[in-house]
Amino acid sequence: MARRASDPFGSLSWIRYEGHDTTILGGDGPPAPCSVDPPLVEALAGPPPAEVTLTAAGRPPVRLSVVAVPSCPGLAVGVDAGAAHGGTVEHLVNQIAHDLRNHAFGIGLRAELGQRRAEPGGDLHAQFATVLRQVDALKAYLDRLLLFGRTPALRPTELDAVAFLSDTVERFRGGFDPAGATPAVSIVTATPSVRVRWDAGVVSAAVTELLDNAARSAQPPPPIELSLTESGGTVRIGVVDRGPGVPSAALANLDRPMAVRRAGRAGLGLAIARKLAEAHGGRLCIETGPEGTTAAVVLPREAEAG
């Protein structure tokens, strides 16, 4: 979003808060105390995004749409509510991801240069290696944010859906958290080949979000079953986990962005899957019970380009 003369805080407003004490961190000037109505600690307790009025000394009040920053307690980011067009949350996420990606690139470059100058095998070399791994993890996280913040342009190609899903599962298992157990995923289908015309990147990303959500439903990851069924002009891809199920109070908000989060996660996985499925002309379905949860995307056999 371009900066406007009427926007005194810049394209993004980074806000540090503790109780009712708030400080504006971003914008055209140095960090400055500010007031927020209603207080952020109260506004962020509700469904995102929260809408607040932020006022700093010498600046006119501005109405902001604000969300908390995952894994950074006491930090929030907002964008001018009047300028946040389309989907407000999507717009916020896209802006956050772009802003942080620039910082991640600079941090990674400096860490790489520092590692080259450090003595191989030494403590400083190892510290830079740790920083680089963390930057890579941040970049992967930002890629997921951009999946939610952007509307994909579809480029469908002819695919064998069974072989395609098998490749998606292998990539998911290979890229899962290396510090944890690798999820066990089985594929169940009544036919060895199903011809479809899909955007491979979009559908793979949606299915990967479903697999990731299922794998993190319990610790260690429960067994996961991926099913493929076809009916007329549609194909259903279901992901079943054998975790504890989802409490009824959370079920209605399960695919709402940032409404239901696990520790250290952004709460965007199912929202991403839903957005990508809908962009593909399909839908997301969720069913849960004491024996586990099924999340499925139902897609047209042939997607339209655009």
Side-chain angles (χ1 to χ4, degrees), residues 12 14 67 69-70 77 89-105 138-150 258 268:
L12 289 176
W14 295 90
V67 296
V69 177
V77 63
V89 175
E90 287 93 335
H91 186 72
L92 270 171
V93 167
N94 200 42
Q95 290 291 326
I96 293 168
H98 276 291
D99 200 51
L100 291 181
R101 191 165 60 173
N102 291 335
H103 292 298
F105 176 80
L138 175 60
K139 289 178 180 177
Y141 178 75
L142 294 177
D143 287 342
R144 293 184 69 247
L145 291 184
L146 288 170
L147 278 176
F148 178 75
R150 292 174 174 171
M258 302 180 185
L268 286 173

Side-chain angles (χ1 to χ4, degrees), residues 108-221:
L109 180 61
R110 287 169 176 79
E112 186 175 348
L113 291 174
Q115 187 184 44
R116 290 177 182 176
R117 295 171 182 172
E119 181 180 353
D123 181 67
L124 187 58
H125 191 276
Q127 292 294 333
F128 277 123
T130 299
V131 172
L132 287 170
R133 285 194 298 270
Q134 292 173 337
V135 169
D136 287 341
L138 175 60
K139 289 178 180 177
Y141 178 75
L142 294 177
D143 287 342
R144 293 184 69 247
L145 291 184
L146 288 170
L147 278 176
F148 178 75
R150 292 174 174 171
T151 299
L154 300 185
R155 296 178 176 83
T157 58
E158 295 288 339
L159 298 169
D160 180 331
V162 178
F164 163 74
L165 290 176
S166 179
D167 290 342
T168 298
V169 167
E170 289 307 307
R171 286 196 299 272
F172 164 72
R173 296 181 75 248
F176 195 70
D177 184 3
T182 301
V185 184
S186 60
I187 299 178
V188 178
T189 178
T191 177
S193 178
V194 177
R195 303 304 301 181
V196 296
R197 185 173 176 80
W198 290 341
D199 185 305
V202 170
V203 178
S204 180
V207 173
T208 297
E209 293 298 337
L210 298 186
L211 291 169
D212 186 79
N213 185 73
R216 300 183 190 279
S217 65
Q219 192 58 249

